[in-house]
Amino acid sequence: MSRTEESWNWRAGRIREAFLEAAGTVAELVAEPAVAAAWGKPSALRDFSVGGLAGHTAWQELALPELLAEPEPREPVVSLREYYLERVTWLDAGVDGAVNVRIRKGGEATAVDGHGALLARVREAVGWLDAELPQVPAGRAIRMTSWGDWSLDLDDFLLTRLMELVVHADDLACSVGLPTPEFPERVTAPVVELLARLAVRRHGAVDVIRGLARVERAPASIAGLQ
């Protein structure tokens, strides 16, 4: 692995601990009565109901037990840098792009049985992950069947899921008028670093530096995601 690729990674168990903490916090958020009460209402994200957004957010932890129960994939492992710069399609697809429409439909399908059913699944998944995830050997690969003929290292995969949990926890809380969960720095630091790299991917380093350091020359947005 090159030094550039290595700089995208958070390893040595830190990302697993951060993911588990974030997953527990998101489970508590999904359990909130305000989420249940607004289940069928529009969320803060276009074309997502509150339930669908909760389903999409929870999927980040629901998918892992099943993925880890499968045989280790034989497809080549790509770096996190290659994953975001060359492999993913949703980053540039736009809100109405087919891949993002499919993602929203998946969130709604995950939530179709209602708040109580999703919450029970989330709690079961978090309990399983708390017990089993720390025991998974380093270097274990993970692959989603919809990706193609490649896979990710587990810790890299967890960083992608951690970012989703933290970002969508804010979306979900804002959707129902709750305070956004205050994750500790050990959770937010890798997410902020990853989002900064995605911002550079989208806007270039100069605009990102100006956005962070020079209000008088800052662009309108340096968002790493759409």
Side-chain angles (χ1 to χ4, degrees):
M1 179 181 297
S2 71
R3 184 169 298 178
T4 299
E5 290 175 340
E6 189 175 34
S7 69
W8 282 65
N9 298 316
W10 288 72
R11 298 194 184 276
R14 291 181 297 163
I15 201 63
R16 300 189 188 194
E17 294 169 3
F19 176 84
L20 289 172
E21 185 162 1
T25 299
V26 166
E28 294 173 4
L29 176 60
V30 172
E32 288 283 351
V35 174
W39 198 251
K41 297 179 181 178
S43 76
L45 298 186
R46 204 190 88 187
D47 296 334
F48 250 138
S49 70
V50 168
L53 177 57
H56 175 66
T57 306
W59 182 90
Q60 317 309 324
E61 48 207 78
L62 293 176
L64 264 170
E66 183 177 339
L67 290 173
L68 288 170
E70 296 175 353
E72 186 161 1
R74 295 184 178 182
E75 288 78 8
V77 175
V78 304
S79 69
L80 193 62
R81 183 177 186 275
E82 181 178 345
Y83 170 74
Y84 277 117
L85 297 187
E86 301 178 21
R87 301 283 179 164
V88 296
T89 59
W90 58 267
L91 271 173
D92 300 317
V95 175
D96 295 319
V99 62
N100 286 320
V101 172
R102 186 167 68 248
I103 287 170
R104 292 194 293 274
K105 288 182 177 179
E108 300 292 343
T110 301
V112 70
D113 292 328
H115 177 261
L118 180 67
L119 180 58
R121 292 175 62 197
V122 168
R123 286 175 168 163
E124 181 180 6
V126 169
W128 188 94
L129 291 167
D130 282 341
E132 300 297 333
L133 187 59
Q135 314 305 320
V136 179
R140 203 321 185 159
I142 289 288
R143 175 177 176 264
M144 296 291 299
T145 56
S146 60
W147 282 353
D149 58 349
W150 51 276
S151 58
L152 279 178
D153 179 276
L154 172 61
D155 286 353
D156 286 345
F157 180 79
L158 290 176
L159 177 52
T160 71
R161 300 310 99 190
L162 178 64
M163 185 264 284
E164 296 275 345
L165 287 174
V166 171
V167 169
H168 288 311
D170 178 46
D171 293 329
L172 185 57
C174 289
S175 296
V176 298
L178 291 174
T180 298
E182 294 187 8
F183 297 99
E185 184 179 4
R186 59 184 171 271
V187 171
T188 59
V191 173
V192 169
E193 180 177 322
L194 177 56
L195 288 171
R197 292 185 181 279
L198 296 180
V200 170
R201 173 192 182 276
R202 184 176 296 279
H203 303 282
V206 171
D207 274 356
V208 172
I209 291 169
R210 286 174 174 172
L212 293 171
R214 289 291 177 258
V215 65
E216 67 274 16
R217 294 194 298 277
S221 172
I222 57 168
L225 306 178
Q226 292 179 331

